[in-house]
């Protein structure tokens, strides 16, 4: 009886060790796959501006405070700016607004989130209320979108504290937004840049 117990314990430990080796191998494979997969970065389709150049400076009006808001240039607060272009008629924009707000709250020490759109005042005001953007920076300016070459929505532009374009592109998911916030950490401003440098 004692010998059976010893044998069963040995078999149990052998089984545990085999499972441990299998789990370790799977974890290594996940790490390898993670390194090979390109980051889900925003797709840059801008024909007007390029990452690395000085961002166009513009004075606009904050829709909510009616105060002047300076876009780009050297910030007196030494903060970056993330311009997030949205529209009341864009379903994807509406789904991403809470995500952008949440991420920007976590990153507020170094970046200011500015929502931008263009349209009739009444429509924009209703949109702000529906999306609970009363505490956000919101700009209603056709000129801002044209200046930054925005052709498709939702679109985002990251400008660093020195007024340089750090990243920009179409954002259709949380991963796209996070890629813009993480551009300083990764060093890649767009999905195309990652592909060119790693798979060219």
């Amino acid at each position: 009886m004692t010998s059976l117990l010893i044998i069963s314990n040995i078999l149990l430990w052998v089984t545990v060790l085999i499972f441990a080796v299998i789990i370790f191998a799977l974890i290594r494979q996940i790490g390898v796959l993670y390194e090979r997969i390109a980051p889900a970065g925003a797709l840059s389709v801008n024909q007007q501006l390029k990452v690395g150049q000085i961002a166009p400076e513009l004075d606009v009006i904050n829709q909510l405070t009616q105060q002047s808001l300076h876009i780009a240039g050297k910030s007196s607060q030494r903060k970056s700016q993330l311009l997030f272009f949205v529209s009341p008629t864009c379903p994807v924009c509406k789904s991403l607004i809470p995500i952008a707000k949440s991420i920007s709250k976590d990153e507020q020490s170094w970046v200011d989130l500015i929502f931008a759109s263009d349209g009739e005042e009444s429509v924009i005001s209703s949109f702000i209320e529906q999306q609970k953007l009363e505490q956000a920076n919101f700009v209603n300016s056709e000129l801002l979108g044209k200046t930054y070459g925005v052709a498709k929505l939702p679109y985002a532009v990251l400008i660093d504290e020195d007024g340089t374009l750090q990243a920009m592109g179409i954002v259709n998911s949380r991963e796209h937004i996070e890629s813009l916030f993480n551009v300083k950490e990764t060093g890649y401003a767009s999905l195309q840049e990652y592909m060119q440098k790693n798979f060219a």
Side-chain angles (χ1 to χ4, degrees):
M1 188 72 175
T2 306
S3 62
L4 284 174
L5 186 60
I6 292 170
I7 291 168
S8 66
N9 276 332
I10 291 171
L11 289 173
L12 180 63
W13 277 108
V14 168
T15 305
V16 168
L17 288 172
I18 290 170
F19 275 115
V21 169
I22 292 170
I23 290 169
F24 178 74
L26 287 172
I27 290 171
R28 285 200 56 175
Q29 283 302 311
I30 290 170
V32 169
L33 285 172
Y34 181 79
E35 298 242 336
R36 289 180 183 172
I37 293 173
L43 182 64
S44 180
V45 293
N46 200 307
Q47 302 297 317
Q48 194 169 313
L49 302 172
K50 292 192 182 301
V51 169
Q53 74 180 68
I54 299 299
E57 290 190 54
L58 204 63
D59 284 311
V60 292
I61 300 297
N62 187 326
Q63 178 81 8
L64 299 164
T65 64
Q66 295 303 307
Q67 293 180 340
S68 179
L69 186 61
H70 191 71
I71 303 297
K74 289 198 174 183
S75 170
S76 59
Q77 297 180 344
R78 306 302 298 169
K79 275 190 176 186
S80 297
Q81 293 176 321
L82 183 74
L83 308 180
F84 196 84
F85 293 89
V86 295
S87 168
T89 59
C90 169
V92 178
C93 299
K94 293 174 184 177
S95 69
L96 291 178
I97 285 173
I99 296 169
K101 286 167 63 179
S102 173
I103 297 172
S104 69
K105 187 176 180 181
D106 295 336
E107 307 292 342
Q108 63 184 336
S109 63
W110 68 274
V111 66
D112 285 328
L113 175 62
I114 301 167
F115 289 100
S117 187
D118 65 88
E120 294 181 16
E121 293 288 328
S122 58
V123 174
I124 296 299
S125 296
S126 177
F127 178 64
I128 289 170
E129 186 178 345
Q130 289 169 6
Q131 299 301 315
K132 297 180 173 56
L133 294 172
E134 292 87 355
Q135 303 302 315
N137 291 312
F138 199 103
V139 175
N140 182 17
S141 169
E142 184 179 352
L143 178 61
L144 181 61
K146 286 183 176 178
T147 301
Y148 280 86
V150 178
K152 295 182 179 180
L153 298 175
Y155 196 88
V157 178
L158 179 66
I159 305 165
D160 73 10
E161 61 274 11
D162 293 320
T164 303
L165 283 169
Q166 286 289 304
M168 58 187 172
I170 298 169
V171 286
N172 290 319
S173 67
R174 181 186 187 94
E175 288 76 18
H176 289 169
I177 298 173
E178 287 177 340
S179 75
L180 292 169
F181 279 95
N182 295 331
V183 69
K184 289 187 178 181
E185 180 183 331
T186 63
Y188 297 110
S190 68
L191 182 57
Q192 295 100 315
E193 184 180 335
Y194 177 89
M195 298 300 285
Q196 286 171 0
K197 288 187 178 179
N198 291 277
F199 298 98

